[in-house]
Amino acid sequence: MTSTVLLSQPFHVYLHDMFNLISLSIMVPFILFYCYHTTQFDQLGAIGDRERDFNEIFDLFFILFCTYLLMDSTVIYLFPSCVVTNPQSLLLHHALLLPLCMIPYFHVQYHWHMMIGLTTEINTFFIVIRRQLPQETISSTLCNILFYLTWILFKLILFPCLSVLFFVEYITHSNSTEVSTYMNFTLLAPIIMSALTLLCYKWTYDLLSNLNTKKKHLN
């Protein structure tokens, strides 16, 4: 399997994929653990008291995730050919994520929003791993199905919902007695989340265009 992978793609792409797989294998369990223990599933929201109990876990994950973003951005900037997609769009994505992550760091009421949003890294895991699997096998077919399902669930459904949730949280925070103004730092949250949502829809358009091109070539 390894020899097939090395022959089918440049070695620097393979190395970058391995870096992402290792990083995601560490971070995704963190995300799922936090979300499971802090989510009130019947109302799709955070459990306030439980959320505060996991502040230390969030702080540890925050350091881990921001380190990953900075490292990945540096690698993509220095070696843009290590990714098979548009490196500029990935750098834009990372550049939007970093300031968005700063908001939960300073405002704990956004911890749950950030962690729920980062469940999209499950889709990133499938994006990477499907390049490492031999094509036209049961494992690759299953991985492709999971890739498309998680793409729809996270990028096309969850992200727009999170944009609304971020906006509602921003309004609530702005109307609180300690703030009492709409011109505050948390305004960035719904703006950046909306920008990330639009970027995901742009990527969806590119993905469908590529699939259509491949279909025409096959015909």
Side-chain angles (χ1 to χ4, degrees):
M1 176 178 169
T2 305
S3 59
T4 304
V5 170
L6 293 176
L7 288 173
S8 63
Q9 62 181 323
F11 187 60
H12 51 278
V13 174
Y14 173 76
L15 286 178
H16 184 251
D17 279 354
M18 289 301 102
F19 164 73
N20 275 283
L21 284 177
I22 293 170
S23 300
L24 293 170
S25 296
I26 297 171
M27 291 188 295
V28 167
F30 253 103
I31 296 166
L32 295 178
F33 177 83
Y34 182 94
C35 291
Y36 175 77
H37 286 283
T38 61
T39 301
Q40 190 167 349
F41 291 99
D42 58 339
Q43 297 182 16
L44 192 58
I47 304 172
D49 293 337
R50 188 74 58 79
E51 195 178 16
R52 284 188 289 272
D53 293 339
F54 286 83
N55 280 349
E56 290 184 3
I57 290 178
F58 177 88
D59 291 342
L60 177 60
F61 178 81
F62 173 82
I63 295 171
L64 181 68
F65 184 68
C66 287
T67 301
Y68 161 74
L69 275 183
L70 290 170
M71 290 177 62
D72 197 45
S73 298
T74 302
V75 171
I76 295 173
Y77 179 78
L78 294 176
F79 309 100
S81 59
C82 73
V83 293
V84 297
T85 54
N86 186 345
Q88 285 76 25
S89 66
L90 287 176
L91 288 174
L92 173 61
H93 175 265
H94 289 12
L96 289 170
L97 265 181
L98 279 170
L100 183 60
C101 290
M102 292 298 111
I103 296 171
Y105 182 77
F106 292 105
H107 300 276
V108 296
Q109 67 267 32
Y110 286 97
H111 282 189
W112 182 82
H113 299 66
M114 172 179 167
M115 297 300 274
I116 284 292
L118 287 177
T119 54
T120 188
E121 296 302 334
I122 298 171
N123 175 255
T124 306
F125 182 85
F126 288 123
I127 290 175
V128 177
I129 200 171
R130 74 182 194 144
R131 284 198 294 267
Q132 307 307 322
L133 295 174
Q135 298 302 302
E136 299 180 359
T137 61
I138 294 176
S139 58
S140 67
T141 300
L142 177 61
C143 188
N144 276 325
I145 292 172
L146 292 172
F147 160 70
Y148 288 114
L149 284 176
T150 54
W151 183 286
I152 294 170
L153 175 63
F154 295 123
K155 298 187 185 301
L156 302 185
I157 298 176
L158 178 63
F159 273 32
C161 293
L162 271 177
S163 298
V164 175
L165 287 175
F166 271 116
F167 181 75
V168 171
E169 194 65 51
Y170 156 71
I171 295 296
T172 302
H173 176 73
S174 300
N175 287 330
S176 62
T177 54
E178 62 269 21
V179 180
S180 300
T181 176
Y182 290 105
M183 297 304 296
N184 62 79
F185 180 53
T186 63
L187 175 60
L188 287 176
I191 293 175
I192 294 176
M193 195 65 231
S194 297
L196 286 170
T197 301
L198 290 175
L199 184 59
C200 286
Y201 273 84
K202 192 267 181 186
W203 285 345
T204 302
Y205 173 80
D206 293 340
L207 178 65
L208 293 175
S209 296
N210 290 336
L211 288 175
N212 188 48
T213 301
K214 290 180 181 179
K215 184 178 179 180
K216 287 181 179 179
H217 286 164
L218 290 175
N219 293 335

